[in-house]
Structure formats: C-alpha cells, structure tokens
Amino acid sequence: MLAALRGRIAAAPWIWSFLGTAATWLVTVSISGGRGGEEIISAALTFSAFTVLVSLGQMMVITTGPGNVDLSIPSVIALSSAVAMLVMDERAGMIVPGLAAAVAAGLAVGGANYGLIRLLRIPPIIATLSSSLVVMSVAIVLGRGLKIKPPQVFADAVTTKVAGVPLLAIVALAAAVAIAFVLERTLYGRTVSAIGQSRRIARLAGLDVERASLLTYMLSGGLAGLTGALIAGFSGGNSLDQGAEYLLLTIAVVVIGGTSVSGGRASVPGIWGAALFMFLIVTMLNASGVSPGLRMLITGLIIIGVIAVGGSERAPR
Amino acid sequence: MKALATATTVLLAIGAVPASAAETKDMKIALSNNFAGNSWRQAMLKSWETVTKQAVADGVVAEAPAFTTSENQATEQAAQIQNMILQGYNAIVIDAASPTALNGAIRQACDAGIVVVTFDGIATEPCAYRIAVDFKKLGGMQVDYFKSRGIKGNLLEVRGLAGVFVDDEIHDGIEAGVKADPDLKIVGSVHGNWTQTVAQKEVAGILPTLPDVAAVATQGGDGFGTAQAFKDAGRKTPVIFLGNREDELSWWKQQKDATGYQTMSASIAPGSSTFAFWVAKKLLAGEKLPQDMVLPITVVTQDNLEDQLKHTEKGSVTNVEYKEADVSGLLAGLKK
C-alpha cells in the first residue's frame, strides 16, 4: 500500500510543488487573519500565467539534455513587447498582427540561438547569453525612450476574467495542455525526450535530432515573444526591464516542478505548481512582514527544501 | 606594472602642472556606466551625449565618450576602468555598480593622476569625488507630504531592489518619518525593484491581505505598476507618491483631469550625469571642490505637473540637463 503510494509519487514529482503551493497559501491566509484568500488565488493565477508560458519553453529546452538552457528569454520579452506595441500602435485592428509580430520576433531569436549552437558549435549557455545581448541592444534601439500603450481592447482582454478565472490563466492552461499533448503524443515530443536521455541513441534510432532541437529553441523563443506582448498589454505598455525577472525564475520553476535538469524527462503539471508556488512564497513573506534579508534567506531555504524532498523520491537514473 | 603606473603618474603630473581655466580643451573625460536597461539610465546616457557633444563642439574638452558594461557586474566595470586608465583619460566619471567593489580600480586611477567623479551609484574610495543624492530625504519628504495632506491610517511601502544602498536609505527616511507620526502606520512592504511590472505583481500579491490603504510610499519607477495593481483589485486608488517617470506623470494627469486626484512626485534627474561631467571638467581646470557634493531632488507638484509633463519625453524621466554655470551656482550654494 505504502510502496504503491511511494511509486505514484515518484512517478509524479510535480506533486510536491502543489503541496508547497497549498501549504504556502494556508500560511498566508492565516497570517492575514483569513482575509483575501480568494483574491490571492486570483492574483496568483494571473501572474503565474506569464511564468507558465515562458517556463514551458524553458522546460522543453532543458529537456533536450545537459547544457541546454535558454538565457535569452528576458531579452526576447523586452524585444517582443516593444515590437508588439509598435505594430499595434494603440489601434484595436492591429492586435492580431502585433501578437503575430511579437511571436515571429521570438521565433527568429530562437532560430538564431540554434544556429549559433549548431553552426558555430557554441555551448547553448554561451550562445543564448550572447544572443540575448544582441537582442537587448535591438530592443534598446527599437524601444528607446518610448513606452507605447496597448490598445484599450487588448488591455481589457488580458485583464479580463471568465467566470471568475483570469483569461490569461486559461490561455496558459491551454498552452500547458497543448505542450503536454505534444510531448506525449507526437513524434517531435517523443524525440525531445529521447534526445535528453541520449542524443547519440536518438540519432542512431533514426530520429531527426537536429530538427527537434531547432524547433525546441524556436518554441521557447516564440512563447517568450507571446509573453512579452501579453505583459505589455497587462502592464500598460512595453519597457526594457519587464523580462529581467524571468531569467532565474523560469529555471527555478522548471526544476522545482520536477523536470529533470539533466534532460529527458519533462513535467508539465509541475510548471503550473511551481509557478504558483514561487508567487505565493513571495506573497507569504511579504504578508508576514519579515525583513528583506530574511525573506531572501527563507525563499532560498524553501526552494532547497522542496527540491530535496521531491528529488529524494526519484528513482536513480 | 608598478613602474609603468609610476611613470604614467610622473608624465601626467608634468602634463598637469600648468592646469588652469580654459586648459581643458585637450583633455578627455570618459563615462563608465554599469547598466543601460531601464528608462532612467537611457535618459542619463542621452543627457550625457547631448551635453558633452556640445562641450566638444565648443572646444571645452577634446572628447567625452560613454561606455556601458554589458553585464551589470562590478568586476566587469573594474576592468573597464582599468582600460580607461591605460587609454589615458584625464578624468573618469562613474555610475558605480557597487559602493566598494570598484575602490581598487578607482585607487589605481587616482594613483595615475586621473580625476575620478562618482555620481548616482557612488564609491567610498576617499580619492574619488562623490555626487550623491540625499535618499533619506527622498523618503522623509513622502511622509511629510502625506502629513501635509492630513492623511491618516495605513501606509503601503513599495521598496526598491533588496540589498542595494539606495533602497535602504529611502526606506530609513520613510521609516523615520512614520515613527515620528502616530497617525501613519506601515501595514505592508514589498520589493518592486524600481520596475513597474514587478511592483504591479508584488502589490497585487500582498493587497488581498491588507486592510484599507490610505497612501503608498514608493521609490520611483514603481508608482504606475502600483496604481495598476490597485485598479485590477477593484480597490480605491490611494495617494501614491510618484517618481517622475513619464508613465507615472501621464497617469497622474489622467486621474487629475478625471477625478481631481492629488499627489506629489520626486526623483533625481538623469541629467545628474551632466552635473558630474561639469564637476570633472572644473576639477581638471584646477578648481577646488568639496569631495562630497549633494544633488538637488527634482520635484513635480500638483501645480507644475502639466508643465513638467510637457518637458518629459515619452517613456522617460523628468530631466534636468545642467550647464556649467548651473553647476557653479549650485556648488556656490553648497559651500555656504
């Protein structure tokens, strides 16, 4: 019985992030004296939606094996938000082209990242880091000294709620379901997992390893591009610094969510669990009023704790 | 290496002997900047470019290029300063990544006879000149303003980047003010990192746990995001002290026209880089200036909002670009 349960949990390492989320929420509500439990969940769903969208891309990249990581996400968000707002230019009719342009910018950066890795044989961590510098420079040139407002319709759409649930959260949930389907049921998805487990064997098995890698970096860039446009709509315009927090956050969310850092095994539900968890830790510590130094310390300890508990249940590879 | 440094010092010392007014036209001043990724820094660099370009055209100095490190790292900036020493700049103006981590490189520059002026992000190395902002006052004046409006009750504090000197100073100013006023109470504090989107996220998170909020103390770059969070939560907009960003002032103008909303806004002008430039120029010309100087805080009030907004570029920060005469005037005022 117990062994069966343990087996279940080992197969679903993401469960810990949801347990952590629930515990954090309970503590927060008890600190606030029972006030605002529902509103906290609503805020958590909204802001986690952004985190989920970018982290899904990061998860796919990390799943393609050791050393693969996308450090260009913050720059892509800065660039795509500027592109989206420039194209929309406060006109409601240009919302779709604006979103398309933002995604296209992200896809292009993703493709370029892969090009650097493949053609110049630069390690992904260096390739995406250096491309992020170039992308940020482009974003500075494009967005310098101007914060363009989103069209009112777009701003209303991204802040709207459907039956009490933020529309953004529904979009992010749909994206998560789609990625889960792709991972489990498509040749591309299975190839990504296979590459992460062993690139050599995947190639010998006749899988198109290079195409899958290219698509993965493009997917990560495209999702970051979309997120950049959505953040600009949500926050009243584009700015250069709005992606900065997503560099370490996406990596933390992927790892806490139970995706294997060494690749080969993704965990889509864990992305949602960990994104909510990361938001609620901050809310909990803010509500508790402890000093900033202590907040960082506690955040670090909690993250280590969750990974240690989740990790110890995993079968050795 | 040491011999080389000594030789450079001697050479520069010889070159520096006849230094007097109007002798700076062959001299070179460099700007060392550690970060360019927000609107304040962009405006700061632009002001530097505008003012120094004119200064070079007028023959005040030979050249005054600006250099920004690609990563916001003290080690990288230290290396950049060492390069500037080798390139033979007469003065280096620095917006420092850290108050202490650049001290070694700054000491080397001073030893090589180079004038070092730090501003905004200042350095503690004694040989450097510091153009600081009284950040405590920037905190204190917010509480003073709330008091002058007769605001009583709960205060939310939106802080900057944790662990950074500026954040601690502004916070201390706010805290000291609140302590002296029994009518105000800080009920919550979040870190908005001087970034509208981060402030929006953090405030949205803590807001459900808070009772009614009467006023919000901020640090600049976070007021607009805070207002968005209050709006999204369906709460009444409190008095949010702003930080001179164009998006904040536009929002204020909208609220003022719609509901008669009143607040106040204050920050340092990005043009402080031009203040530092003229200080460096004066030092090169042989003027004696105090090692520590204080920059004035730029304030926007209910009455001059429209006027200031007109002069604030879209997406930028309310700015003041200094002329040499302005700096002389301000420094004369300091000496009193």
Side-chain angles (χ1 to χ4, degrees), chain B residues 119 144 330:
Chain B
F119 74 103
D144 290 343
L330 281 166

Side-chain angles (χ1 to χ4, degrees), chain B:
Chain B
M1 185 61 213
K2 190 152 192 199
L4 181 68
T6 318
T8 321
T9 315
V10 171
L11 282 176
L12 280 166
I14 294 166
V17 172
S20 64
E23 286 290 328
T24 56
K25 69 177 194 308
D26 296 326
M27 294 194 174
K28 302 190 296 177
I29 301 177
L31 171 66
S32 162
N33 175 42
N34 65 312
F35 180 63
N38 64 27
S39 58
W40 195 92
R41 290 294 177 113
Q42 283 297 320
M44 185 272 275
L45 289 168
K46 210 169 170 189
S47 290
W48 173 274
E49 196 185 311
T50 313
V51 169
T52 59
K53 210 184 224 171
Q54 191 58 44
V56 171
D58 294 347
V60 178
V61 291
E63 54 176 301
F67 300 97
T68 300
T69 55
S70 57
E71 293 290 308
N72 185 4
Q73 295 285 345
T75 43
E76 197 188 354
Q77 197 175 15
Q80 184 194 50
I81 292 168
Q82 279 160 344
N83 280 334
M84 289 173 176
I85 298 172
L86 295 175
Q87 286 164 22
Y89 286 98
N90 303 88
I92 303 176
V93 174
I94 304 173
D95 195 338
S98 148
T100 50
L102 299 178
N103 284 355
I106 291 175
R107 181 81 247 170
Q108 288 174 357
C110 293
D111 287 346
I114 297 169
V115 168
V116 178
V117 178
T118 62
F119 74 103
D120 182 40
I122 53 171
T124 56
E125 167 56 46
C127 77
Y129 290 82
R130 278 167 291 281
I131 304 173
V133 179
D134 190 348
F135 288 110
K136 269 203 182 102
K137 192 172 150 200
L138 194 54
M141 71 195 295
Q142 307 195 28
V143 181
D144 290 343
Y145 172 72
F146 297 148
K147 262 189 229 176
S148 77
R149 288 277 309 277
I151 291 167
K152 293 186 171 85
N154 297 325
L155 195 70
L156 170 65
E157 186 189 3
V158 180
R159 299 183 58 167
L161 206 55
V164 177
F165 164 81
V166 175
D167 171 56
D168 288 330
E169 290 285 299
I170 298 179
H171 168 72
D172 287 349
I174 293 169
E175 203 171 41
V178 170
K179 245 182 209 147
D181 185 355
D183 291 333
L184 286 172
K185 188 182 161 217
I186 299 181
V187 290
S189 133
V190 298
H191 283 270
N193 298 2
W194 306 306
T195 307
Q196 307 289 8
T197 46
V198 177
Q200 183 180 6
K201 183 173 176 174
E202 298 275 312
V203 173
I206 197 175
L207 214 43
T209 71
L210 297 180
D212 272 342
V213 175
V216 184
T218 65
Q219 297 201 351
D222 43 15
F224 180 63
T226 303
Q228 294 267 103
F230 271 89
K231 185 179 143 237
D232 292 340
R235 290 223 186 186
K236 188 174 165 285
T237 310
V239 176
I240 303 171
F241 199 95
L242 302 172
N244 290 4
R245 269 55 170 190
E246 188 267 343
D247 49 6
E248 297 176 346
L249 299 182
S250 303
W251 173 82
W252 178 8
K253 173 86 177 83
Q254 247 175 28
Q255 303 298 311
K256 184 182 170 184
D257 292 346
T259 63
Y261 185 78
Q262 288 184 46
T263 188
M264 182 172 158
S265 176
S267 186
I268 11 162
S272 54
S273 60
T274 64
F275 190 100
F277 170 75
W278 291 116
V279 165
K281 186 256 160 189
K282 282 168 173 296
L283 289 166
L284 286 178
E287 275 189 51
K288 283 258 174 295
L289 296 175
Q291 210 81 23
D292 288 279
M293 290 158 264
V294 179
L295 262 185
I297 295 173
T298 311
V299 174
V300 181
T301 63
Q302 201 74 14
D303 298 326
N304 70 4
L305 170 62
E306 281 79 6
D307 194 41
Q308 291 284 13
L309 191 55
K310 219 179 291 161
H311 294 123
T312 305
E313 225 180 307
K314 212 165 165 14
S316 189
V317 187
T318 306
N319 202 358
V320 182
E321 275 166 8
Y322 294 93
K323 296 189 184 67
E324 189 170 10
D326 303 337
V327 175
S328 307
L330 281 166
L331 291 174
L334 274 182
K335 279 178 192 152
K336 272 175 214 158

Side-chain angles (χ1 to χ4, degrees), chain A residues 78-261:
Chain A
L79 175 66
S80 68
S81 67
V83 167
M85 293 303 112
L86 278 168
V87 172
M88 288 183 196
D89 196 21
E90 299 188 44
R91 289 167 300 179
M94 293 301 282
I95 293 175
V96 175
L99 284 171
V103 173
L107 291 173
V109 176
N113 281 337
Y114 173 77
L116 289 174
I117 297 165
R118 171 79 178 138
L119 301 175
L120 302 181
R121 306 208 169 278
I122 305 174
I125 195 166
I126 305 296
T128 54
L129 187 65
S130 49
S131 83
S132 83
L133 296 176
V134 176
V135 172
M136 186 52 103
S137 302
V138 176
I140 287 176
V141 171
L142 261 183
R144 180 167 190 167
L146 84 175
K147 174 174 194 155
I148 307 169
K149 279 194 201 134
Q152 195 57 44
V153 187
F154 184 54
D156 291 343
V158 288
T159 46
T160 197
K161 286 180 185 172
V162 179
V165 182
L167 180 64
L168 277 175
I170 297 172
V171 170
L173 188 64
V177 171
I179 295 277
F181 177 82
V182 165
L183 261 175
E184 294 296 325
R185 297 291 160 88
T186 65
L187 177 63
Y188 160 69
R190 302 313 295 163
T191 307
V192 166
S193 297
I195 296 173
Q197 282 156 23
S198 170
R199 200 176 182 89
R200 210 172 97 82
I201 294 174
R203 188 175 287 129
L204 291 175
L207 295 169
D208 194 343
V209 170
E210 297 308 333
R211 181 171 160 275
S213 292
L214 167 66
L215 288 177
T216 303
Y217 277 95
M218 286 178 73
L219 179 65
S220 178
L223 281 169
L226 174 66
T227 310
L230 294 177
I231 293 175
F234 186 80
S235 298
N238 57 304
S239 60
L240 289 172
D241 48 14
Q242 65 191 12
E245 57 177 316
Y246 293 100
L247 178 59
L248 295 178
L249 188 59
T250 52
I251 298 172
V253 162
V254 169
V255 175
I256 293 171
T259 293
S260 168
V261 192

